[in-house]
Amino acid sequence: LRLYSFFRSSAAFRVRIALNLKGLRWESSAIDLVKGEHHTLQFEQVNPQRAIPALLDGNQTLIQSMAIVEYLEETHPDPPLLPATTGERSWVRAIAQLIACDIHPLNNLRVMKYLKKDLGVGQEQRDAWVRHWIGEGFSNLEAMIKRHPQTGPFCHGNSPTIADVFLVPQIFNARRAKMDLSAYPTLLRIFDSCMALPAFDLAQPMKQPDAREDYL
Ligand SMILES: N[C@@H](CCC(=O)N[C@@H](CS)C(=O)NCC(=O)O)C(=O)O
């Protein structure tokens, strides 16, 4: 298994966590998004969408973090990252999708570049944009998870699921944006449960071989 990754990419971070939780051995190929290495012809052969992550499994190339995590779940069911019943699985996927579809895309590199270069939006307003959309998503998530009867040390129950795999990288992004997260105590409590596990800890940006202090 070879993961095309960038230390700071939260979508790649999700896949790193899932690979680790599944106990799989994997190697990484670093694609520097700051230098624009995802726009090279070489990488376009790997992922025509020119985005990270992509996972090579034998002669298959998998893209889109949600699809990759579900692929890993199907090919390596143990330990499970989805709960046993259809209703519970739908709930866990709803949390992951709230993050992957409703928060993350609004703050992606290409969106931020468009705001800056094409629309002339200044740094201060771009920072406000990032904080706004993460804040709105986290407020909804906090309310949802706080009152759900099956919330445990993790988003759902006593072991990590796909919901946690998506939550933790988004919290790293929020911290990078210097957000005050005190309004989301349930999310922070779950974050701490996750980060106590090596699978999450070892997947974090600054523990990747391509990590760079000067990019933070
Ligand atoms: N929905 C995709 C998002 C992939 C994505 O956009 N990744 C970001 C890094 S987190 C990226 O490669 N951005 C490059 C760009 O925006 O130019 C997924 O979940 O895999």
Side-chain angles (χ1 to χ4, degrees):
L1 292 166
R2 174 170 295 279
L3 179 68
Y4 288 89
S5 178
F6 178 53
F7 75 105
R8 211 170 66 181
S9 154
S10 65
F13 188 177
R14 298 166 189 160
V15 177
R16 296 196 297 258
I17 297 167
L19 287 164
N20 293 347
L21 284 168
K22 296 288 184 187
L24 296 168
R25 284 162 64 98
W26 56 279
E27 291 172 5
S28 73
S29 288
I31 301 293
D32 188 326
L33 296 185
V34 174
K35 286 190 188 146
E37 286 177 0
H38 53 311
H39 290 293
T40 60
L41 280 176
Q42 201 185 357
F43 186 68
E44 218 180 297
Q45 304 297 312
V46 177
N47 183 1
Q49 200 193 351
R50 292 167 294 164
I52 291 292
L55 183 72
L56 298 191
D57 184 6
N59 56 11
Q60 286 194 94
T61 305
L62 310 159
I63 60 165
Q64 285 287 344
S65 61
M66 180 80 75
I68 299 172
V69 171
E70 294 259 6
Y71 170 90
L72 293 173
E73 179 70 1
E74 288 179 27
T75 51
H76 301 86
D78 203 29
L81 298 181
L82 284 170
T85 69
T86 47
E88 288 171 291
R89 285 200 290 278
S90 177
W91 171 249
V92 160
R93 287 182 172 120
I95 296 170
Q97 287 181 26
L98 193 154
I99 294 161
C101 308
D102 298 338
I103 301 179
H104 174 263
L106 289 161
N107 302 323
N108 214 334
L109 181 62
R110 55 192 172 273
V111 171
M112 302 315 290
K113 272 191 180 162
Y114 182 74
L115 288 176
K116 181 179 174 182
K117 291 199 179 139
D118 296 75
L119 302 184
V121 178
Q123 180 74 53
E124 212 173 295
Q125 287 171 300
R126 293 200 309 276
D127 291 346
W129 165 285
V130 169
R131 293 192 192 117
H132 173 79
W133 293 115
I134 298 178
E136 187 181 287
F138 276 6
S139 295
N140 294 332
L141 262 186
E142 173 70 22
M144 277 164 58
I145 296 178
K146 189 178 165 180
R147 70 165 176 240
H148 195 279
Q150 282 171 291
T151 299
F154 297 95
C155 286
H156 185 79
N158 295 318
S159 57
T161 63
I162 282 176
D164 305 287
V165 166
F166 280 67
L167 175 64
V168 164
Q170 192 59 56
I171 290 185
F172 269 82
N173 277 359
R175 287 195 165 153
R176 214 177 107 224
K178 300 191 170 48
M179 285 180 69
D180 173 10
L181 300 180
S182 55
Y184 320 112
T186 315
L187 304 186
L188 289 180
R189 177 178 63 67
I190 292 168
F191 176 83
D192 289 341
S193 306
C194 291
M195 292 308 293
L197 302 178
F200 285 82
D201 178 51
L202 294 172
Q204 66 173 283
M206 291 315 288
K207 295 199 174 173
Q208 304 316 300
D210 61 323
R212 295 177 56 149
E213 296 278 359
D214 57 329
Y215 273 8
L216 293 175

